């Protein structure tokens, strides 16, 4: 078994590309010296890599087991029961996505999934209101699996608390005001949970479980199984495997933190390679996102003068108002839902 204590106490013990940096969040409670070391490691990981493995987060095996059991039960349902909550039914992009119906970089992702968010009434944008309010609305749940609803909503609440604490420690680590973005979240934050199954390689042999991309929120906390397949682009420009680590969340920074720090903190490209055709892979990414109408103000911090600027990608414009970023991503990733419910928002061909 990997010795997490030794690895987290000595970041140089992490082989450069064999594993991501390992951050122990519980060090924040072990006195000033341990917390200072935590901040040094967190600063380095967020500035240099944009990805790390998080241990010491306090989420226990019972909570994790309840979610994973409910998720596996969902994907074991007959296809007709899963399709009863097809996201094609939802103008809010909630529900089940069939294998191949989501796209990244214009290509099919070979996975199926259930998209879940905060459970709220539908908000239909009024005249002059931003179209991103379509993203707020109810989830779709399988009628015969009540345990899924309770486990998923509990997971959203639990990981929101972990992510909030992690964000506070990260801001402290780079010398920024710890509560600078608190008002961007609050009761109207827009968390997003995916329950994902990779059923093996596509019939045509394509290996894109999900294509290379960056996340567009603040933080992503990923629970992955032991199959592997996640790859992160490192400083050498190549994509490197992320070996699963029992009990850890894989954490990556989203584009909003890159924008907020003018590129000092980095959002990093990552992808998933499909498992072999006879192997299923399950993963649970949780996206810690602010309110849809939150404007991400520049972060005041002492390293701002060393910031290199935000990555310039004309094909992926970034907006200060978060909701526009998420809506842009949803329209691209779910073209069938977009065409059915939001044709007026699509650019003409």
């Amino acid at each position: 078994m990997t010795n997490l204590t030794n690895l987290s106490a000595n970041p140089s013990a992490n082989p450069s590309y064999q594993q991501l940096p390992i951050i122990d969040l519980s060090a924040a409670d072990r006195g000033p010296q341990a917390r200072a070391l935590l901040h040094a490691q967190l600063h380095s990981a967020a500035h240099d890599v944009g990805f790390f493995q998080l241990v010491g987060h306090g989420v226990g095996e019972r909570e994790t087991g309840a979610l994973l059991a409910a998720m596996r039960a969902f994907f074991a349902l007959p296809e007709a029961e899963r399709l009863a909550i097809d996201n094609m039914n939802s103008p809010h992009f909630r529900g089940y996505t069939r294998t191949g119906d989501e796209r990244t970089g214009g290509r099919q992702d070979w996975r199926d999934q259930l998209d879940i968010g905060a459970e709220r009434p539908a908000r239909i944008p009024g005249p002059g209101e931003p179209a991103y309010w379509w993203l707020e609305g109810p989830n779709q749940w399988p009628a015969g699996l009540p345990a899924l609803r309770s486990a998923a909503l509990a997971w959203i609440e639990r990981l929101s608390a972990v992510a909030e604490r992690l964000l506070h420690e990260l801001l402290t680590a780079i010398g920024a005001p710890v509560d600078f973005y608190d008002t961007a979240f609050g009761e109207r934050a827009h968390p997003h949970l995916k329950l994902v199954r990779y059923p093996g390689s596509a019939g045509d042999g394509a290996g894109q479980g999900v294509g290379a991309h960056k996340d567009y929120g603040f933080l992503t906390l990923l629970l992955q199984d032991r199959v592997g397949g996640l790859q992160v682009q490192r400083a050498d420009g190549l994509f490197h495997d992320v070996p699963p680590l029992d009990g850890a969340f894989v954490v990556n920074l989203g584009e909003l933190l890159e924008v907020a720090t003018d590129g000092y903190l980095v959002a990093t490209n990552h992808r998933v390679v499909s498992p072999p055709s006879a192997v299923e892979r399950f993963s649970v990414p949780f996206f810690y996102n602010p309110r849809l109408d939150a404007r991400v103000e520049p972060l005041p911090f002492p390293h701002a003068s060393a910031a290199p600027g935000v990555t310039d990608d004309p094909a992926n414009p970034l907006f200060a108002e978060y909701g526009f970023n998420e809506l842009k991503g949803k329209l691209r990733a779910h073209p069938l839902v977009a065409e059915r419910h939001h044709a007026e928002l699509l650019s003409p061909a």
Side-chain angles (χ1 to χ4, degrees):
M1 177 178 290
T2 303
N3 188 326
L4 300 184
T5 302
N6 289 343
L7 282 173
S8 58
N10 179 11
S12 65
N14 295 336
S16 59
Y17 293 149
Q18 297 303 309
Q19 180 57 279
L20 295 174
I22 298 171
I23 303 295
D24 184 354
L25 189 57
S26 68
D29 301 322
R30 294 204 294 269
Q33 186 175 357
R35 191 164 184 238
L37 178 58
L38 164 67
H39 289 160
Q41 294 171 332
L42 192 52
H43 186 159
S44 174
H47 174 56
D48 299 329
V49 186
F51 261 86
F52 51 91
Q53 298 264 26
L54 186 72
V55 299
H57 42 68
V59 179
E61 291 183 7
R62 179 176 296 181
E63 299 165 280
T64 302
L67 181 71
L68 294 179
M71 177 176 69
R72 288 180 178 272
F74 171 73
F75 286 110
L77 290 173
E79 184 181 38
E81 293 185 39
R82 283 178 275 128
L83 290 177
I85 58 170
D86 195 319
N87 69 348
M88 289 284 286
N89 304 328
S90 171
H92 319 295
F93 297 88
R94 306 289 178 87
Y96 176 66
T97 301
R98 288 174 285 193
T99 303
D101 276 4
E102 187 176 24
R103 287 164 172 76
T104 301
R107 295 180 57 204
Q108 284 185 314
D109 293 328
W110 205 247
R111 61 180 184 174
D112 59 345
Q113 65 189 36
L114 183 65
D115 283 279
I116 303 164
E119 191 70 87
R120 294 180 184 140
R123 178 166 177 179
I124 299 173
E129 287 191 314
Y132 57 64
W133 288 119
W134 278 112
L135 300 175
E136 192 164 284
N139 296 298
Q140 297 190 81
W141 303 105
L145 198 57
L148 178 63
R149 185 182 191 277
S150 57
L153 294 181
W155 193 258
I156 287 175
E157 183 176 355
R158 187 74 169 90
L159 262 66
S160 291
V162 173
E164 179 183 38
R165 185 185 187 200
L166 177 60
L167 179 60
H168 284 171
E169 296 297 342
L170 175 58
L171 295 180
T172 302
I174 63 171
V178 66
D179 59 353
F180 190 78
Y181 290 118
D182 282 5
T183 57
F185 288 87
E187 293 182 357
R188 304 304 294 184
H190 192 73
H192 179 203
L193 174 65
K194 285 178 179 279
L195 307 180
V196 184
R197 173 178 62 176
Y198 297 88
S201 300
D204 62 1
Q208 176 169 303
V210 61
H213 66 285
K214 300 177 182 180
D215 296 339
Y216 36 75
F218 265 69
L219 293 168
T220 302
L221 280 68
L222 171 72
L223 177 66
Q224 63 168 340
D225 66 13
R226 296 182 179 182
V227 173
L230 174 65
Q231 296 182 336
V232 172
Q233 192 172 34
R234 302 296 296 269
D236 61 359
L238 303 177
F239 282 87
H240 293 265
D241 292 330
V242 177
L245 188 64
D246 284 350
F249 292 118
V250 181
V251 176
N252 64 281
L253 278 58
E255 290 174 329
L256 288 186
L257 275 174
E258 182 172 314
V259 170
T261 60
D262 197 30
Y264 186 79
L265 300 182
V266 294
T268 303
N269 272 319
H270 53 287
R271 67 188 185 189
V272 174
V273 177
S274 293
S277 57
V279 177
E280 287 185 319
R281 175 182 185 264
F282 293 90
S283 72
V284 186
F286 169 78
F287 305 91
Y288 185 57
N289 302 325
R291 300 188 330 264
L292 289 169
D293 60 347
R295 294 187 65 84
V296 180
E297 301 296 334
L299 184 67
F301 68 112
H303 306 282
S305 61
V310 176
T311 304
D312 183 25
D313 182 357
N316 184 38
L318 299 177
F319 304 97
E321 199 163 342
Y322 171 66
F324 288 117
N325 286 306
E326 174 140 347
L327 180 62
K328 170 196 67 178
K330 288 289 195 292
L331 294 172
R332 289 179 175 179
H334 298 279
L336 300 179
V337 179
E339 289 165 10
R340 171 175 285 190
H341 296 286
H342 304 295
E344 74 283 358
L345 301 179
L346 300 176
S347 301

